[in-house]
Amino acid sequence: MANNIVVLGAGVSGLTTAYLLSQDPANKITVLAKHMPGDYDIEYASPWAGANYMPVGKEGSAHHKWERDTWPALKEITEKYPEAGIHFRGTLIYNRKKDQETDTGKWFSELTQPNPWYKDVVPDFKNVPSGQLAPGVDNAQEFTSVCINTAVYLPWLVGQCVKNGAVFKRAVFKHIADAANAHHGGQKADVVINCTGLSSKTLGGVLDDKMYPARGQIVVVRNDPGPMMSTSGTDDGEDEALYIMTRAAGGGTILGGSYQKHNWNGIPDMNLANRIMKRCIDVCPSLVKKGQGIEGLDIIRHGVGLRPLREGGTRIEKDKVNGVAIVHNYGHGGFGYQASFGCAYAAVSLVKEVLQNKSRAKL
Ligand code: FAD
């Protein structure tokens, strides 16, 4: 018996969920979205991400499990499918205890602590000997992570889904239940998977007022400094961040950033951009030629994305709205890629429960 499934949203959450579900030929999947890979829009977080794997979930939480479960999948894709646009990259993390009460310091508190759970997940984890730490740095670690070229990876996911028979259509919905009537087979969908990110705040039938943005501003440059790096905070503001990551396959280097909660402004702030570039060069002088400052950066573009944060954490849950079975998978803040497979596995197992109940009801 065929399962008619609608995935609403074509960011990394919707595409990863559709990718897993499309591996079962019994699933007839329609992916519906206002924005698709190739678009750059303030309502679409996924293209703006770095994106790398720097775990932030607190030990013992569901978030920890989602990130832990995602690493093997990203590693396998990196090794088996170079065309997916992911590469391994050395990573350096610097922690300053004075950042621990700031928004950025709290966001990165698991990442920056000296004995994190992920030391047993990522390869080559080691603490930097204290004698080698720069002034002001309390501890530092290095490991091998991945960096994802989102402009290659998102279309790769679309390609995998299409190869497995999924159908992609542009559509905009005011109410989640309406998406059930837009399955390409012409019949009502058995289940709608809600992967609308920050728009779950305003989407009828969901209206989740726990959703809010954390604004992330970036500068994309052609310079390539080598390893990725991140610090626990900056001296420029409690909601500013410092990270550097070079994407795979010519995707340029992302200089970040900011973590501005409840800020919806989609226009790059050039003063913030200057601070981002300056502090990246301060911590990583090899970004530019010797003696150069910001003028040594070859800028591709400035960008702003809104991380879809949710008070109380990501929502992966079954629901019923106007008689339509829904599985929610939204609210992934700044970790949508590094938790993508873990969250999608959890959503897929809820979809299976919905479909089993449907089969039982028909017997
Ligand atoms: P989105 O990408 O926002 O997709 C939502 C989808 O739903 C879109 O297709 C949209 O069109 C569709 N949609 C919404 N409403 C409707 C509607 N009513 N009708 C039809 N379609 C609708 N994460 C990491 O793991 N690692 C990183 O290094 C990282 N870096 C980041 C850096 C920045 C600057 C930013 C902004 C984010 C970063 N993130 C990172 C976080 C990550 O980008 C997000 O968590 C992730 O993209 C969220 O994906 P999503 O699919 O849930 O939502």
Side-chain angles (χ1 to χ4, degrees):
M1 193 173 28
N3 304 312
N4 292 329
I5 299 173
V6 160
V7 177
L8 183 57
V12 67
S13 309
L15 294 177
T16 311
T17 310
Y19 172 53
L20 294 180
L21 286 167
S22 73
Q23 289 163 6
D24 180 348
N27 293 336
K28 305 297 171 209
I29 300 163
T30 310
V31 181
L32 302 167
K34 182 174 180 185
H35 305 96
M36 292 280 180
D39 298 345
Y40 284 89
D41 195 284
I42 196 63
E43 290 179 19
Y44 188 28
S46 294
W48 301 109
N52 66 11
Y53 182 91
M54 288 196 182
V56 291
K58 293 275 177 296
E59 184 155 17
S61 66
H63 185 165
H64 162 190
K65 179 174 158 32
W66 298 325
E67 289 182 331
R68 187 198 62 204
D69 292 352
T70 298
W71 175 260
L74 292 179
K75 178 173 178 285
E76 184 180 296
I77 294 173
T78 309
E79 287 168 347
K80 272 202 193 162
Y81 306 105
E83 69 276 19
I86 310 182
H87 64 178
F88 292 112
R89 204 78 176 175
T91 305
L92 279 157
I93 306 291
Y94 299 110
N95 187 32
R96 312 183 308 173
K97 284 191 184 142
K98 68 175 180 176
D99 296 322
Q100 66 191 15
E101 291 309 318
T102 66
D103 279 345
T104 310
K106 285 183 197 155
W107 167 33
F108 282 153
S109 64
E110 188 69 35
L111 174 72
T112 52
Q113 65 138 309
N115 188 29
W117 59 261
Y118 67 82
K119 67 180 189 309
D120 302 321
V121 174
V122 294
D124 312 319
F125 182 95
K126 53 179 185 282
N127 291 109
V128 176
S130 52
Q132 293 174 21
L133 298 176
V137 174
D138 294 294
N139 64 277
Q141 49 244 28
E142 49 188 311
F143 54 92
T144 298
S145 181
V146 289
C147 190
I148 302 168
N149 182 346
T150 62
V152 176
Y153 180 60
L154 296 173
W156 181 81
L157 284 172
V158 173
Q160 299 305 301
C161 294
V162 171
K163 201 165 71 179
N164 292 339
V167 172
F168 283 72
K169 290 203 285 186
R170 295 269 183 172
V172 185
F173 295 95
K174 289 205 163 81
H175 197 284
I176 182 113
D178 295 341
N181 300 320
H183 189 272
H184 69 273
Q187 285 178 326
K188 193 165 182 177
D190 299 308
V191 56
V192 173
I193 306 165
N194 174 25
C195 302
T196 57
L198 197 51
S199 299
S200 288
K201 192 175 182 67
T202 49
L203 178 62
V206 186
L207 295 178
D208 188 340
D209 60 10
K210 294 190 177 130
M211 291 299 296
Y212 65 97
R215 180 180 183 275
Q217 183 166 325
I218 52 165
V219 186
V220 191
V221 299
R222 295 186 178 82
N223 309 56
D224 181 355
M228 298 195 284
M229 57 185 75
S230 183
T231 65
S232 53
T234 81
D235 292 330
D236 290 335
E238 298 210 343
D239 57 4
E240 296 197 17
L242 195 173
Y243 58 84
I244 301 172
M245 53 180 107
T246 303
R247 287 170 163 178
T253 296
I254 307 290
L255 308 180
S258 66
Y259 197 72
Q260 298 163 304
K261 291 184 176 177
H262 305 285
N263 183 335
W264 293 84
N265 186 357
I267 310 289
D269 166 354
M270 285 306 137
N271 291 322
L272 173 55
N274 281 335
R275 292 197 295 277
I276 289 173
M277 293 188 280
K278 187 173 177 315
R279 58 185 180 242
C280 284
I281 294 170
D282 285 348
V283 82
C284 178
S286 63
L287 250 179
V288 289
K289 292 200 184 98
K290 205 163 183 245
Q292 284 185 321
I294 289 179
E295 75 285 0
L297 292 173
D298 187 355
I299 298 171
I300 301 169
R301 85 176 76 89
H302 295 272
V304 176
L306 301 179
R307 300 177 182 90
L309 273 162
R310 184 169 182 270
E311 272 168 48
T314 308
R315 186 175 183 202
I316 303 179
E317 205 170 81
K318 283 190 290 185
D319 196 0
K320 200 140 212 176
V321 181
N322 295 357
V324 174
I326 312 283
V327 170
H328 297 287
N329 182 11
Y330 68 85
H332 302 87
F335 49 87
Y337 285 84
Q338 64 201 33
S340 56
F341 277 88
C343 291
Y345 296 141
V348 166
S349 84
L350 296 180
V351 170
K352 284 184 181 155
E353 285 178 24
V354 170
L355 295 172
Q356 271 164 9
N357 288 343
K358 174 198 91 169
S359 310
R360 269 194 224 112
K362 283 200 176 148
L363 286 176

